[in-house]
Amino acid sequence: MTIDYRWRGRLTDPELDALHAEGFGHPIEPGGWLARLERHSLGWVTARRAADGALVGFVNLAWDGGAHAFLLDTAVSPDVRRRGVATRLVAEAADGARAAGCAWLHVDFEPHLRPLYLDACGLRPTDAGLLAL
């Protein structure tokens, strides 16, 4: 199966709503993605199945306008998981951050995603803090 990856690839709100719900296991909720991406993101990466153009992966790359970029909302359709899609999404996002002059790429993740981010993607663990608001 061929997957096409695109920096700032075309998207519609309904298809990203559906992928996000599928990827994170919640009901589809309209999220107003396109407006938020254009306003707050350095960029994003899409993964589409070449055969039918279906959106099968996405990662958002937020930033502080300077040296720091942040991976958010990495989502991969269950039918293409364990095929390197998430790893490639992160690599493409890292390339986009590097091209924009960022020096650091951050990500927060749940423990079960350690093998993806630390092993497959090469990020290293750091101390961090979190305040629930």
Side-chain angles (χ1 to χ4, degrees), residues 74-133:
T74 307
V76 175
S77 182
D79 64 328
V80 298
R81 287 186 184 157
R82 304 267 185 241
R83 298 183 186 177
V85 175
T87 303
R88 176 78 182 271
L89 287 167
V90 171
E92 296 284 336
D95 287 346
R98 196 175 292 108
C102 295
W104 300 100
L105 181 60
H106 305 261
V107 65
D108 294 326
F109 54 85
E110 294 179 0
H112 72 277
L113 294 172
R114 286 180 72 86
L116 167 65
Y117 288 112
L118 301 185
D119 299 335
C121 296
L123 282 86
R124 60 186 166 96
T126 63
D127 290 331
L130 179 66
L131 176 64
L133 303 174

Side-chain angles (χ1 to χ4, degrees), residues 28-77:
I28 294 176
E29 302 164 352
W33 284 99
L34 297 179
R36 287 188 293 144
L37 292 172
E38 289 294 336
R39 177 179 284 162
H40 301 291
S41 297
L42 172 61
W44 56 90
V45 181
T46 59
R48 291 187 177 277
R49 193 170 31 234
D52 60 6
L55 184 68
V56 296
F58 169 84
V59 68
N60 183 13
L61 188 65
W63 72 326
D64 66 352
H68 298 268
F70 307 86
L71 294 170
L72 299 170
D73 299 307
T74 307
V76 175
S77 182

